């Protein structure tokens, strides 16, 4: 990308020492991005990433490195319509954002970040910025995340103009079968069969929405909503349902895979380019800190298999 990763920011942009006052003003920023040209959200040395570009832009504005925390790290090629991040500024940095203009610091931050990010030719867009409530954490304060996924089944539905955000599937699918398999997974479960486990992390999640339907153009669109998604979970769920929807596996296979709690060669990841993080929801400001603490509490192994409505979201 045209903006360098944070690791390679021009040294002249960084201060010779840390800020003289603590960075206590937490900013929350809503942004969207086309993930086609990036190796996912998280910074990777020598590779273009969304986090690297955003943090490099912040470094240019603030003359020091700024680390961001994101609501959900997306894989290489995955897009976001509404992603949420937070980072911390000093009071002086916050107050100086307008540079004398008659606008709020929040609006000034949006304007100035958009200006720097024009180098990305629209691939990353800052929508909104605000001072976060006390205790807010873009990752841990979130109530839920919602994703969409688009599938063009059969060459007759393939469109080169939408190939960057639509999976081209060679086989035609039975949407009713897809939807039935999806709904068999609703509830609170250990999704180990559909996740890439991380050290010291749980694979227990509460999936509250999962559906498939055709839109007016005949494209199959999936919608998924959960308290959180573990690594590769959405793509693995889509891939598993497709095995039933196109006839390679029998109905009920996806629920059986869930019960196995086993990740192996049968775990199929769907194409990342069709996946979009659509929305992240948060509680009222005064509840942000409590929500973050609740989410940090590790989900217990025995606390699974609970149907929707039987437990509050975590």
């Amino acid at each position: 990308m045209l903006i360098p990763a944070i690791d390679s920011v021009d040294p002249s942009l960084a201060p010779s020492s840390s800020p003289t006052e603590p960075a206590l003003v937490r900013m929350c920023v809503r942004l969207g991005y086309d993930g086609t040209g990036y190796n996912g959200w998280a910074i990777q040395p020598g590779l273009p990433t969304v986090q690297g570009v955003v943090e490099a832009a912040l470094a240019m504005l603030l003359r020091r490195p700024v680390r961001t925390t994101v609501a959900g790290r997306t894989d290489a090629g995955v897009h976001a319509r509404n992603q949420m991040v937070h980072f911390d500024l000093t009071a002086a940095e916050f107050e100086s954002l307008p540079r004398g203009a008659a606008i709020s610091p929040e609006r000034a931050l949006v304007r100035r970040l958009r200006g720097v990010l024009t180098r990305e030719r629209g691939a990353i867009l800052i929508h909104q910025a605000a001072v976060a409530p006390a205790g807010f954490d873009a990752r841990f304060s979130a109530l839920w995340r919602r994703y969409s996924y688009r599938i063009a089944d059969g060459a007759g539905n393939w469109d080169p103009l939408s190939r960057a955000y639509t999976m081209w599937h060679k086989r035609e699918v039975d949407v009713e079968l897809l939807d039935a398999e999806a709904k068999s997974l609703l509830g609170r479960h250990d999704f180990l069969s559909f996740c890439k486990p991380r050290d010291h992390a749980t694979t227990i999640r509460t999936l509250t929405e999962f559906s498939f339907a055709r839109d007016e153009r005949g494209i199959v669109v999936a919608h998924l909503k959960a308290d959180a998604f573990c690594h590769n979970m959405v793509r693995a769920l889509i891939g598993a349902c497709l095995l039933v929807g196109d006839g390679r596996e029998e109905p009920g296979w996806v629920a059986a895979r869930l019960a196995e709690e086993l990740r192996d060669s049968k775990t199929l990841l769907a194409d990342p380019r069709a996946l979009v993080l659509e929305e992240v929801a948060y509680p009222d400001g005064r509840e942000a800190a409590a929500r973050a603490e609740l989410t940090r509490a590790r989900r217990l192994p025995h606390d699974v298999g609970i149907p929707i409505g039987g437990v509050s979201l975590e």
Side-chain angles (χ1 to χ4, degrees):
M1 292 296 102
L2 295 174
I3 294 181
I6 191 70
D7 307 81
S8 60
V9 171
D10 186 337
S12 67
L13 296 178
S16 58
S17 61
S18 301
T20 56
E21 61 176 298
L24 300 179
V25 181
R26 175 151 293 183
M27 300 300 300
C28 177
V29 170
R30 181 170 61 89
L31 71 155
Y33 48 85
D34 175 349
T36 303
Y38 305 98
N39 282 71
W41 166 265
I43 287 177
Q44 301 179 57
L47 295 175
T49 67
V50 181
Q51 184 181 23
V53 170
V54 171
E55 291 187 2
L58 288 168
M60 292 181 68
L61 295 182
L62 300 168
R63 316 292 291 184
R64 68 172 178 88
V66 177
R67 183 48 49 98
T68 59
T69 297
V70 70
R73 290 181 292 180
T74 50
D75 293 338
V78 175
H79 318 290
R81 200 177 309 277
N82 290 288
Q83 174 72 278
M84 300 292 288
V85 301
H86 81 247
F87 53 88
D88 299 327
L89 304 180
T90 68
E93 288 170 337
F94 175 74
E95 293 166 2
S96 67
L97 286 172
R99 289 185 173 179
I103 58 174
S104 68
E106 294 92 337
R107 181 58 188 159
L109 179 61
V110 172
R111 180 181 296 182
R112 293 178 64 190
L113 278 177
R114 283 183 175 179
V116 176
L117 291 172
T118 55
R119 303 180 183 187
E120 297 301 300
R121 298 184 176 90
I124 301 175
L125 179 65
I126 305 300
H127 295 308
Q128 185 180 17
V131 175
F136 175 87
D137 186 290
R139 177 185 177 190
F140 291 112
S141 293
L143 291 171
W144 47 261
R145 288 90 169 159
R146 183 170 62 85
Y147 283 86
S148 69
Y149 193 93
R150 292 168 48 88
I151 304 164
D153 59 326
N157 281 329
W158 295 355
D159 178 1
L161 297 184
S162 62
R163 69 190 185 283
Y165 55 91
T166 305
M167 175 188 183
W168 287 4
H169 193 60
K170 294 180 179 179
R171 301 167 180 252
E172 293 187 3
V173 299
D174 184 323
V175 177
E176 291 186 1
L177 278 180
L178 287 174
D179 196 54
E181 294 297 302
K183 287 181 169 47
S184 72
L185 299 177
L186 294 177
R188 186 179 178 84
H189 309 286
D190 188 333
F191 284 92
L192 177 60
S193 298
F194 305 102
C195 295
K196 184 177 181 180
R198 298 182 185 274
D199 291 340
H200 311 297
T202 178
T203 51
I204 297 173
R205 297 290 187 270
T206 303
L207 185 64
T208 55
E209 293 181 15
F210 189 13
S211 65
F212 288 86
R214 289 194 188 273
D215 66 11
E216 65 281 357
R217 293 188 56 249
I219 300 300
V220 178
V221 183
H223 291 282
L224 305 90
K225 176 180 169 184
D227 53 348
F229 292 92
C230 45
H231 192 205
N232 289 158
M233 180 174 166
V234 178
R235 292 169 59 201
L237 291 175
I238 298 291
C241 289
L242 281 172
L243 289 174
V244 176
D246 65 19
R248 285 177 285 173
E249 296 289 348
E250 294 296 319
W253 183 81
V254 175
R257 283 289 294 167
L258 175 70
E260 289 177 354
E261 296 184 9
L262 174 66
R263 182 183 173 90
D264 56 23
S265 60
K266 295 180 181 178
T267 302
L268 175 66
L269 297 183
D271 191 334
R273 63 180 171 175
L275 183 58
V276 179
L277 174 59
E278 295 283 355
E279 184 181 8
V280 184
Y282 294 91
D284 291 339
R286 61 182 180 277
E287 302 294 334
R291 174 65 187 183
E293 290 303 314
L294 177 63
T295 306
R296 287 189 180 96
R298 188 180 177 90
R299 298 169 178 86
L300 301 177
H302 65 271
D303 189 16
V304 298
I306 302 176
I308 302 302
V311 65
S312 59
L313 289 182
E314 285 192 8

